[in-house]
Amino acid sequence: MNANAPDPGLLLRQLERERAARKNAEALLESKSLELYQANQELLRLNGTLEERVHERTLELVAARDQALEASRIKSQFVASVSHELRTPLHAVISYSEMLLEELEDAGLGQLIEDQRKIQGAAQHLKMLIDEVLDFTKLEAGKMELHAGSIRLDALTANLRDTLAPLAQKNANRLDVQMADDLGELVSDRLKLSQCLYNLLSNACKFTENGTVTLSIQRERQQDGEWYSFQVSDTGIGMDAGQLARLFRPFSQGDSSITRKYGGTGLGLAITHGLCQVLGGEITVDSQPGQGTVFRMRIPATPPQEAPEDADAASS
Ligand SMILES: Nc1ncnc2c1ncn2[C@@H]1O[C@H](COP(=O)(O)OP(=O)(O)OP(=O)(O)O)[C@@H](O)[C@H]1O
Ligand SMILES: [Mg+2]
């Protein structure tokens, strides 16, 4: 026997060990493949139910959204119809009290005239509150329509001056109107613009004493077109950062002491903000406590959509 020839016993054992090792590896591979297969199956199953669950959840969310929208629509409809129903008898109260006032004046019944004026004042106030709620509901429902036409700014400001004179006098304020010379033609919704300016000016008169309330109007050519800027500034109590942050939210007033002292519902600015958007414009404010307030409203010289109707004719 050749001394260098490999020992067949040794070779056999080596071969056995390799075979056993390969078998082990194959068994391991098989068990890992099985695990992988099972994990994959589980993943597929989860994926299937996940899609199902996402679909179910989406359906639930859509149903909840639809319910909320429907509830909101019913609420708006209810508020709108209640406000509308309240206005009808109120109109009767206002017109009969006007008639009665004239008769009392003719008959020279001094004390009764005063009482009658108070009834009329209260009825007008009630009507204003109902109108505010109605406007707010319309804005919330996106149902406020734009009636655009050419606006005579001199007539509009003269009207505002007359309407606001008693409010300005009440707090001994001076009411100034400054209009640039080159104002040209503004085409927008006269009633809505007038309502915005009235809200801003009446606030300025309400929150200022022995001061000045100024409305200044300018036309501005900017990169994004022609704009009209309406600035209402006052020298009144001003507002702090907290008040400014929630200013255009509905029913938001400075604090409870302001509600007690000045009254109001806190809807005026929310409505002004909404109306300004309907006009295609925007409103900003600058104020500091004790330093007065400046509201700036800018609206486009022509309305955001085609509206051939004449505002002065349509809304008067
Ligand atoms: N010019 C201003 N100066 C100081 N505070 C102001 C001024 N304008 C508005 N505010 C503050 O913002 C709040 C909200 O104004 P907004 O016009 O919405 O409501 P209101 O005047 O209180 O009530 P309403 O207008 O519904 O009768 C006011 O209560 C007041 O605290
Ligand atoms: Mg107000």
Side-chain angles (χ1 to χ4, degrees):
M1 195 175 153
N2 188 348
N4 288 333
D7 175 1
L10 189 69
L11 273 178
L12 210 64
R13 281 198 300 281
Q14 215 170 343
L15 214 64
E16 274 305 313
R17 272 205 304 276
E18 275 174 18
R19 194 180 296 144
R22 201 167 51 240
K23 252 189 159 171
N24 275 345
E26 276 170 8
L28 195 67
L29 194 69
E30 199 172 323
S31 91
K32 288 289 165 202
S33 299
L34 190 70
E35 273 175 29
L36 211 65
Y37 172 77
Q38 282 167 346
N40 203 22
Q41 287 300 100
E42 180 66 8
L43 214 62
L44 281 174
R45 195 184 61 77
L46 280 177
N47 199 23
T49 55
L50 192 70
E51 271 177 23
E52 214 171 279
R53 276 159 70 182
V54 167
H55 184 63
E56 274 170 17
R57 196 82 189 103
T58 309
L59 287 181
E60 279 170 23
L61 287 174
V62 167
R65 187 207 56 190
D66 287 351
Q67 269 176 12
L69 284 175
E70 180 62 6
S72 165
R73 196 188 60 75
I74 291 171
K75 184 210 75 182
S76 298
Q77 213 171 38
F78 171 75
V79 175
S81 58
V82 166
S83 311
H84 193 73
E85 290 304 313
L86 288 173
R87 276 204 319 183
T88 315
L90 203 53
H91 273 137
V93 172
I94 291 171
S95 28
Y96 275 104
S97 83
E98 266 166 17
M99 270 165 44
L100 211 56
L101 196 60
E102 279 171 21
E103 283 169 23
L104 290 174
E105 276 165 355
D106 288 348
L109 295 167
Q111 175 55 35
L112 289 180
I113 291 174
E114 268 317 297
D115 290 346
Q116 189 56 32
R117 282 211 176 104
K118 281 181 192 147
I119 293 175
Q120 205 180 5
Q124 292 282 12
H125 188 203
L126 196 55
K127 181 175 172 296
M128 199 195 75
L129 295 178
I130 292 172
D131 286 345
E132 269 194 348
V133 172
L134 203 56
D135 280 347
F136 181 68
T137 317
K138 270 196 205 164
L139 281 166
E140 229 190 0
K143 286 199 176 139
M144 192 66 95
E145 285 170 13
L146 188 97
H147 302 285
S150 178
I151 297 180
R152 297 195 311 270
L153 283 169
D154 47 352
L156 184 139
T157 48
N159 224 316
L160 282 169
R161 251 186 208 281
D162 288 348
T163 320
L164 284 151
L167 258 184
Q169 276 159 21
K170 192 174 162 203
N171 281 351
N173 290 318
R174 210 180 73 202
L175 185 59
D176 261 0
V177 177
Q178 297 169 357
M179 288 166 72
D181 296 329
D182 54 343
L183 281 178
E185 191 195 25
L186 166 62
V187 179
S188 193
D189 187 319
R190 181 177 60 86
L191 268 192
K192 291 185 181 57
L193 173 62
S194 181
Q195 194 176 345
C196 289
L197 293 175
Y198 175 84
N199 282 346
L200 296 179
L201 287 163
S202 65
N203 276 353
C205 288
K206 186 157 77 162
F207 298 108
T208 306
E209 276 176 30
N210 301 309
T212 309
V213 170
T214 312
L215 165 66
S216 44
I217 309 178
Q218 276 172 344
R219 187 180 172 113
E220 293 168 359
R221 184 184 295 263
Q222 288 174 0
Q223 276 187 340
D224 51 352
E226 294 267 332
W227 295 83
Y228 276 79
S229 127
F230 298 85
Q231 181 172 300
V232 175
S233 52
D234 66 56
T235 55
I237 60 171
M239 286 172 273
D240 61 25
Q243 279 175 276
L244 289 175
R246 52 178 195 273
L247 197 59
F248 296 110
R249 285 189 213 154
F251 308 109
S252 124
Q253 295 186 298
D255 56 42
S256 54
S257 67
I258 287 198
T259 314
R260 273 198 309 277
K261 184 168 175 195
Y262 298 98
T265 53
L267 272 180
L269 285 179
I271 292 172
T272 306
H273 187 251
L275 288 177
C276 195
Q277 281 180 336
V278 173
L279 296 176
E282 59 199 16
I283 184 165
T284 53
V285 60
D286 230 332
S287 187
Q288 271 181 27
Q291 304 288 310
T293 301
V294 183
F295 279 96
R296 286 184 200 86
M297 204 174 90
R298 69 165 201 158
I299 62 166
T302 49
Q305 68 219 31
E306 284 301 312
E309 219 174 325
D310 183 272
D312 279 14
S315 44
S316 49

